[in-house]
Amino acid sequence: MIELLQTALTQYGIKELPGTEQNNPKILKYFKGHAWVKTDETAWCSAFVDWCALYSGFEHTQKLNARSWLDVGWEPEHPESGDIAIFWRESKSSWKGHVGIYINKMDDNINVLGGNQNNSVCIKPYPKSRLLGYRRLKKL
């Protein structure tokens, strides 16, 4: 899984171009296979993780919804850096979520490297209470 994390780190700092007519082509590349996406302001956390997994040779979802990551790989007993972390958004029963690449746990938070975090690729903490699960991906 370290390959996945290394791939994601090569994208660190990539940002949306909000409020402009321009779109960041580096973000749009994450949407490969989703030709209908035309803007970098489309929710892209799952597209980012999918691109990283594909580029690194791991299984991936090819879906844009974060919760789709609960259907790939397997749930590890203890997460390791490079595993996938899936969180709920708005409510646990909502279809909405967030997905990122697990870095570590600190206090009541889980640090993940992900896309569309403050409109960029960065490391951000998420409350442990919002975790839906971890996934470890299979190498293809």
Side-chain angles (χ1 to χ4, degrees), residues 27-43:
I27 292 174
L28 294 179
K29 77 178 174 187
Y30 304 143
F31 289 103
K32 183 179 179 181
H34 302 279
W36 61 270
V37 175
K38 305 291 184 201
T39 173
D40 64 8
E41 294 184 38
T42 302

Side-chain angles (χ1 to χ4, degrees), residues 25-80:
K26 292 179 180 179
I27 292 174
L28 294 179
K29 77 178 174 187
Y30 304 143
F31 289 103
K32 183 179 179 181
H34 302 279
W36 61 270
V37 175
K38 305 291 184 201
T39 173
D40 64 8
E41 294 184 38
T42 302
W44 53 281
C45 67
S46 184
F48 173 74
V49 173
D50 200 72
W51 181 88
C52 292
L54 176 66
Y55 189 83
S56 301
F58 287 93
E59 65 182 317
H60 50 103
T61 69
Q62 297 179 305
K63 296 180 180 177
L64 298 181
N65 59 315
R67 291 179 182 226
S68 67
W69 289 92
L70 291 166
D71 298 326
V72 297
W74 70 94
E75 187 159 10
E77 191 172 326
H78 302 286
E80 297 175 2

Side-chain angles (χ1 to χ4, degrees), residues 67 86-94 96-98 129-132:
R67 291 179 182 226
I86 305 102
F87 302 92
W88 59 267
R89 194 163 50 94
E90 289 186 9
S91 76
K92 198 169 188 176
S93 61
S94 168
K96 296 178 181 180
H98 182 70
S129 61
R130 287 185 39 205
L131 180 72
L132 290 171

